């Protein structure tokens, strides 16, 4: 045990005296902070912005209902018709809603045919959600008029009696009589739209950090693999074995990286769950890197595979999108990869943190196995 701590202490001292360690340690928080500073505040507040052109009079009730639904998945911005068309055409806004000047009169008459105009750009993705939201607001406004016309046409009420019913037609149903819609994720958990919108950019930054740490672990495995090939290290390995040599060196290399990554996560203000997830993820990467350094063909192939790893992570982990939603057969694979486990553990999903430590324990145990003699 003393050999382990002495090796760790000497390796950590050597790491702290290297300019490369400090350069990488400063790179992580600088990268995240620069991304947060470059991203406008309104872009972090809502994933999608939608322009709304209101009439000079009569559009306030519709706008109030839209504002009540703003900030969850979309942010509605009031503007004139020309501005809406221009910003949608240039991709600054996802889509836009245009209301005619006689909007209030047509709603009162229950004339909803072609009442709203939806402007959609080439890169628009949220227009189905915006369309349904606008239709819900319009239906809420037109419901009293539609109910009045139905009562008159069906003979349930007359002109005199329907006037007395007008206050009841304006009343909203109590919660016990409404149809509730519950959103759930693929794993059966309840989906909270507000929490999902607020955590969108946080998940992207966690994914960016996970990819950078994975690349660091691959280069760390190459460095340790080369170190194992040195004559002095070979003689020491014959006396001590691979695990007592590799694990303390890898742990010493991970200490400044963990501190830098924790500093990079500080703007997200996610507290202890994110730090524990980061610690488990780094432990898994360190164990895998140490195991890869033991096998020459593996660590020699890592520099060739490194450029492709960001693309693989984006396709196999829910960073920009969830691949399991497109290809359900990949759900079992994506769910248990270290990157995917880290992203879910940072969100507080139960069971992901123990799975990360299992990823760390299995390679460490395999590293302790005796090497086959040829």
């Amino acid at each position: 045990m003393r050999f382990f701590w002495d090796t760790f202490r000497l390796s950590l001292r050597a790491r702290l005296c290297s300019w490369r360690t400090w350069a990488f340690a400063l790179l992580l928080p600088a990268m995240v902070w620069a991304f947060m500073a470059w991203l406008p505040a309104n872009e972090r507040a809502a994933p999608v912005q939608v322009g709304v052109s209101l009439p000079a009079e009569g559009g306030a009730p519709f706008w109030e209902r839209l504002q009540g639904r703003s900030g969850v998945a979309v942010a509605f911005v009031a503007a004139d018709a020309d501005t809406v068309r221009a910003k949608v055409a240039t991709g600054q806004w996802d889509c836009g809603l245009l209301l005619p000047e006689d909007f209030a009169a047509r709603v009162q008459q229950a004339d909803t045919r072609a009442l709203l105009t939806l402007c959609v750009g080439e890169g628009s993705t949220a227009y189905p959600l915006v369309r349904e939201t606008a239709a819900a607001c319009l239906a809420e406004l037109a419901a009293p008029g539609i109910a009045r016309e139905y009562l008159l046409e069906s003979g349930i009420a007359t002109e005199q009696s329907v006037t007395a019913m007008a206050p009841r037609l304006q009343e909203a149903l109590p919660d016990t009589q409404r149809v509730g819609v519950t959103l759930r994720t693929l794993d059966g958990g309840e989906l909270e739209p507000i929490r999902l919108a607020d955590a969108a950019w946080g998940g992207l930054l966690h994914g960016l950090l996970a990819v950078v740490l994975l690349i660091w672990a691959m280069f760390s495995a190459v460095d340790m693999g080369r170190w194992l090939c040195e004559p002095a290290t070979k003689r020491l390995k014959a006396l001590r074995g691979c695990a007592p040599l590799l694990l303390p060196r890898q742990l010493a290399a991970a200490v400044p990286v963990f501190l830098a990554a924790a500093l990079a996560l500080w703007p997200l203000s996610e507290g202890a769950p994110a730090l524990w997830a980061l610690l488990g993820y780094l432990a898994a990467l360190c164990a895998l890197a140490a195991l890869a350094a033991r096998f020459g063909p593996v660590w020699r192939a890592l520099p060739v595979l490194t450029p492709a790893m960001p693309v693989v992570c984006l396709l196999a982990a829910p960073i920009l999108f969830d691949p399991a939603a497109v290809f359900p057969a990949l759900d079992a694979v994506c769910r248990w990869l270290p990157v995917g486990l880290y992203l879910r553990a940072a969100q507080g999903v139960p069971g992901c943190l123990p799975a990360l430590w299992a990823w760390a324990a299995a390679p460490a145990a395999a590293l302790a196995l005796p090497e086959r003699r040829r």
Side-chain angles (χ1 to χ4, degrees):
M1 196 65 181
R2 183 175 179 180
F3 177 83
F4 182 93
W5 289 112
D6 288 342
T7 305
F8 169 76
R9 179 174 53 85
L10 295 174
S11 300
L12 181 59
R13 180 184 299 176
R15 291 282 180 177
L16 294 179
C17 293
S18 174
W19 67 270
R20 292 188 301 174
T21 301
W22 291 104
F24 187 80
L26 294 175
L27 173 65
L28 284 178
M31 177 184 63
V32 175
W33 291 356
F35 187 85
M36 295 288 289
W38 168 78
L39 191 66
N42 58 347
E43 292 291 339
R44 294 197 300 267
V48 174
Q49 288 184 317
V50 178
V52 181
S53 174
L54 299 171
E57 296 180 359
F62 182 81
W63 175 246
E64 291 175 0
R65 286 165 173 77
L66 276 183
Q67 285 293 91
R69 295 167 171 83
S70 180
V72 176
V74 296
F76 295 98
V77 183
D80 58 88
D82 294 336
T83 302
V84 172
R85 292 190 181 95
K87 291 203 172 187
V88 171
T90 56
Q92 300 179 54
W93 289 348
D94 187 88
C95 53
L97 291 170
L98 303 180
L99 277 65
E101 291 298 328
D102 59 344
F103 176 80
R106 293 180 60 182
V107 169
Q108 188 175 3
Q109 298 171 5
D111 182 14
T112 59
R113 185 181 297 273
L115 185 56
L116 298 177
T117 302
L118 179 63
C119 295
V120 179
E122 294 183 358
S124 179
T125 57
Y127 68 90
L129 176 62
V130 174
R131 180 177 56 197
E132 297 301 327
T133 302
C137 296
L138 181 59
E140 188 175 345
L141 285 176
I146 295 175
R148 183 180 184 278
E149 293 295 330
Y150 174 76
L151 292 175
L152 292 175
E153 292 180 2
S154 62
I156 299 177
T158 62
E159 288 289 347
Q160 293 76 15
S161 60
V162 78
T163 304
M165 295 180 184
R168 294 191 59 188
L169 297 180
Q170 299 289 341
E171 293 180 359
L173 289 175
D175 294 337
T176 56
Q177 298 182 16
R178 296 186 181 185
V179 177
V181 179
T182 302
L183 303 178
R184 294 191 176 274
T185 58
L186 291 176
D187 56 0
E190 187 172 352
L191 180 64
E192 301 177 6
I194 297 179
R195 181 181 176 185
L196 182 64
D198 293 339
W201 293 112
L204 179 60
L205 291 177
H206 276 293
L208 179 64
L209 187 63
V211 173
V212 174
L213 292 179
L214 177 61
I215 295 176
W216 166 83
M218 297 176 70
F219 281 112
S220 180
V222 174
D223 291 339
M224 288 191 299
R226 291 173 179 171
W227 178 73
L228 282 178
C229 294
E230 296 179 0
T233 309
K234 289 182 179 179
R235 291 192 295 268
L236 192 58
K237 184 176 66 173
L239 298 175
R240 294 289 181 174
C242 277
L245 294 180
L246 293 178
L247 291 180
R249 287 180 60 88
Q250 187 62 56
L251 180 62
V255 169
V257 173
F258 172 75
L259 296 177
L263 186 61
L265 292 179
W266 177 74
L268 300 179
S269 302
E270 295 185 354
L275 292 180
W276 280 112
L278 176 63
L279 184 61
Y281 179 63
L282 262 180
L285 291 183
C286 290
L288 290 171
L291 183 62
R294 183 176 176 178
F295 302 98
V298 176
W299 66 261
R300 288 188 179 92
L302 291 181
V304 181
L305 300 176
T306 300
M309 290 311 298
V311 179
V312 174
C313 290
L314 291 177
L315 294 179
I319 298 177
L320 296 179
F321 71 99
D322 189 0
V326 182
F327 305 102
L330 297 177
D331 181 59
V333 178
C334 301
R335 184 183 298 272
W336 299 109
L337 287 176
V339 177
L341 285 173
Y342 165 66
L343 295 177
R344 296 170 62 222
Q347 298 173 0
V349 179
C352 294
L353 189 57
L356 279 175
W357 286 106
W359 268 99
L367 192 64
L369 296 176
E371 190 173 0
R372 180 182 297 179
R373 300 291 182 181
R374 294 185 179 179

